[in-house]
Amino acid sequence: MALWLKRLLKHFFSNSDPLNNTPTVSWLLQNRTTRTGKAALTRGRTPTASLYRMYEYLVVGYIIGLRTEIEFFFNQPSWAVAAIPDPEDPDPQRYAILSVLPYYLVNAFNRLIERGLPRGSPAIIAGDEAERELRAKGVVLEEEPAWASKVPPLTETLTIPTSSGEIPTEERRSARFLSMNIIVEEPHVLFV
């Protein structure tokens, strides 16, 4: 990596903790064209790290990355959505976005669970016996973590443009994000 890029990244990140090194909304918006289509900068294999990667993908408008990360989370059956620890992020914009993302996880996951595909299901379900085993599993629906409802809305409106750089039209805006004073297009989070 070029020295100038290393310095630039260091300038925008607060400290050595990988989760606190997550870029700000303004940095991601300024660097959208170079970040779209690339792996998120947040590293780690925890529910919190995954949530931060979703945040990055949402802000840069990389919907394929967002959906892939959501699917990755779904395939970690020990990661209950309700058990995602409160990141207590000091950046109000980032914290507000992080607080809304579990809502979308719950919707995407429960849609599949209610259709008989519990978390941790194999990628290929071959044969009647495998299908019976899946149907025999109890239905355990996901819930949002308690901390998510306690995050206050932003005092100033944050607008995240569409992937084409435009302000989302009113009919395409996410109501859930609007409740946090964030204007963003309704994310496409369903998979399978």
Side-chain angles (χ1 to χ4, degrees), residues 6-190:
K6 285 181 182 178
R7 286 182 182 155
L8 179 69
L9 292 173
K10 185 176 181 182
H11 173 75
F12 286 102
F13 300 136
S14 56
N15 65 40
S16 62
D17 180 346
L19 294 181
N20 288 330
N21 283 339
T22 303
T24 63
V25 171
S26 60
W27 189 88
L28 287 169
L29 290 175
Q30 290 169 1
N31 292 280
R32 266 185 134 196
T33 54
T34 58
R35 295 301 317 150
T36 299
K38 295 200 169 101
L41 296 168
T42 302
R43 299 288 178 243
R45 199 172 166 95
T46 66
T48 305
S50 182
L51 193 68
Y52 273 85
R53 285 190 293 274
M54 291 176 214
Y55 147 79
E56 288 186 52
Y57 293 136
L58 177 84
V59 175
V60 300
Y62 184 32
I63 302 307
I64 294 170
L66 176 64
R67 286 176 46 174
T68 300
E69 191 65 36
I70 290 170
E71 187 173 358
F72 169 75
F73 197 111
F74 180 79
N75 288 315
Q76 310 304 313
S78 64
W79 294 1
V81 176
I84 298 172
D86 185 344
E88 299 179 24
D89 196 299
D91 182 301
Q93 291 181 328
R94 200 167 46 211
Y95 196 28
I97 293 170
L98 292 168
S99 75
V100 176
L101 290 171
Y103 166 80
Y104 287 98
L105 295 178
V106 167
N107 285 339
F109 296 177
N110 286 349
R111 173 183 161 268
L112 295 176
I113 294 166
E114 288 170 342
R115 292 179 177 186
L117 190 64
R119 292 186 63 190
S121 298
I124 298 172
I125 302 164
D128 292 338
E129 186 175 331
E131 213 174 301
R132 277 191 296 277
E133 282 180 34
L134 280 179
R135 291 183 199 279
K137 288 184 177 183
V139 175
V140 180
L141 296 176
E142 293 289 343
E143 296 177 1
E144 292 180 65
W147 63 264
S149 65
K150 296 175 185 160
V151 176
L154 297 174
T155 54
E156 293 183 28
T157 302
L158 169 64
T159 301
I160 300 173
T162 64
S163 57
S164 59
E166 299 172 5
I167 295 174
T169 60
E170 289 204 25
E171 61 272 0
R172 299 194 64 134
R173 292 177 184 177
S174 161
R176 191 60 175 249
F177 276 106
L178 273 175
S179 72
M180 295 301 285
N181 205 13
I182 300 169
I183 296 172
V184 66
E185 198 168 44
E186 183 71 31
H188 302 284
V189 299
L190 303 180

